[in-house]
Amino acid sequence: MGKRLDGKVTIITGAASGFGRAMVKGFSKEGARIFAIDIDESVEKLIEEVDGEFIHLKQTYLTLTK
């Protein structure tokens, strides 16, 4: 019997810590392809552990003007 998330793609934001980190680990165990997004570079190490892919975002400040 296959894993519940075989063939599924997941995009997880805030993946370096807390709930996002737990989702990366859990979804990976169930066979999902993981795309992890975070501004914290430690997400790279986590993704190597679960054989996923990551997107590192640099922090940016936006200003709205009229």
Side-chain angles (χ1 to χ4, degrees), residues 12-17 20-21 35-47 54-61:
I12 301 172
T13 60
S17 63
R21 184 179 184 88
F35 285 90
I37 302 170
D38 206 296
I39 61 172
D40 185 338
E41 293 179 13
S42 69
V43 73
E44 186 173 359
K45 184 173 185 256
L46 171 64
I47 290 306
F54 78 98
I55 300 168
H56 176 246
L57 298 178
K58 293 189 176 197
Q59 189 170 359
T60 303
Y61 294 97

Side-chain angles (χ1 to χ4, degrees), residues 8-37:
K8 304 291 183 185
V9 175
T10 61
I11 299 170
I12 301 172
T13 60
S17 63
F19 189 64
R21 184 179 184 88
M23 288 173 54
V24 167
K25 289 184 173 189
F27 286 15
S28 176
K29 286 180 184 176
E30 289 298 329
R33 182 174 179 194
I34 307 288
F35 285 90
I37 302 170

